[in-house]
Amino acid sequence: MSLFFAPLRPNYEAALRDVEAADPKMRALAAERLGDPRGSETIENARDRAVAGLVKLGDDADATVRTMAISSLGKLADPRGLELVLARFSDGEGSVREAAVMAAGEIGGEQAREALRRACGHERPDVRFQAVAAYAAVAGEDARAAVSVALGDEDPLVRQSAIESLTTLGPSADACTRIARLLQDREEEVADEAAIALGQLGDQRAVPRLVKLASGSRGFEAMAALGDLKATQACDALDALAGSILKPLLVKAAA
């Protein structure tokens, strides 16, 4: 009988060497490790070597290696990796594209902001999904217009991302009105997200949907929002949940 063990995470110095490893698994581990500079303090020019190595791995033939390298460039937030990160928005592998968009948000700067703004209208929905959140995070109030447009995206995950991002940006009458329209969305998950968001934003239009959600998988979020809204019209439904013999104790306690 043979035993197989996953390779150990390399130390920083080994990771710098493993950038040139023949095995893609070793290169992927190196790429992941180089995003965490702990243990590099005694290595001369460690950060410069790490960025150079990650840029090289970001062009690797193996998609997993590219994904890990791009992700680590984001963690380092070093602008020297930004050109490669932005180029990977159009990578042929979805995991690489998504990692690139998130990394651009972590690196930041005007060039990254503009690229993320454009990416909110990218042809690929996975890019739009990540770009909406990343752009809202780096641009703040300046992102409201682009995020609001994304509420009407054809992809439900993008619509959900837009709802979450507008909620993070904080309440406004326009945002609440736009989100409230999605309470009637054709996708249940989007309508649920809209209700949770409106509850967090203090909008009473969420109450009917939140009452429905209270007995489902997002019940804790829904009940918390109903409490914050002081939604007395939900009392009967919550009382029924609290007295149900079929519900778990934590659900009844929350109700």
Side-chain angles (χ1 to χ4, degrees):
M1 181 177 69
S2 61
L3 297 176
F4 296 92
F5 298 94
L8 294 174
R9 188 175 190 249
N11 63 39
Y12 209 82
E13 190 166 5
L16 289 169
R17 294 195 304 268
D18 287 347
V19 167
E20 304 291 344
D23 187 345
K25 293 181 181 178
M26 298 300 291
R27 297 198 302 276
L29 286 169
E32 187 273 335
R33 179 66 180 91
L34 292 178
D36 178 1
R38 289 175 297 178
S40 66
E41 296 82 4
T42 61
I43 303 172
E44 186 176 1
N45 300 321
R47 187 178 182 86
D48 293 342
R49 292 169 63 191
V51 171
L54 289 170
V55 169
K56 178 181 177 65
L57 294 174
D59 270 329
D60 199 272
D62 187 276
T64 300
V65 176
R66 295 199 305 279
T67 300
M68 298 305 300
I70 295 299
S71 178
S72 285
L73 284 170
K75 291 174 184 176
L76 291 179
D78 194 304
R80 289 174 292 180
L82 183 59
E83 183 177 351
L84 173 68
V85 165
L86 298 183
R88 286 290 160 260
F89 280 23
S90 299
D91 195 274
E93 178 62 41
S95 64
V96 182
R97 294 193 297 270
E98 293 195 45
V101 176
M102 290 187 285
E106 292 172 307
I107 294 171
E110 188 57 39
Q111 186 180 2
R113 282 179 54 161
E114 178 57 24
L116 289 169
R117 184 191 66 78
R118 294 195 303 270
C120 289
H122 197 277
E123 62 181 353
R124 294 183 183 273
D126 56 353
V127 173
R128 298 197 303 274
F129 166 73
Q130 295 292 356
V132 166
Y135 184 48
V138 300
E141 281 297 315
D142 292 340
R144 275 195 184 271
V147 174
S148 295
V149 169
L151 290 172
D153 196 276
E154 63 183 19
D155 188 276
L157 289 178
V158 179
R159 298 199 296 277
Q160 286 181 254
S161 181
I163 292 169
E164 293 173 2
S165 296
L166 276 181
T167 305
T168 300
L169 290 176
S172 76
D174 180 69
C176 288
T177 296
R178 290 173 180 269
I179 293 172
R181 293 173 187 152
L182 295 180
L183 290 169
Q184 308 302 322
D185 195 272
R186 60 186 178 275
E187 297 290 340
E188 292 290 315
E189 292 83 359
V190 177
D192 293 347
E193 194 66 53
I196 296 294
L198 288 172
Q200 294 171 346
L201 293 171
D203 194 303
Q204 293 286 332
R205 284 173 287 191
V207 171
R209 186 89 190 182
L210 290 173
V211 170
K212 178 181 176 182
L213 287 177
S215 59
S217 60
R218 302 191 71 173
F220 290 109
E221 292 174 275
M223 286 187 279
L226 288 167
D228 290 340
L229 290 169
K230 296 180 171 56
T232 55
Q233 61 269 52
C235 285
D236 288 345
L238 293 174
D239 184 58
L241 277 176
S244 173
I245 62 173
L246 299 177
K247 293 295 182 182
L249 182 59
L250 284 177
V251 172
K252 294 196 286 186

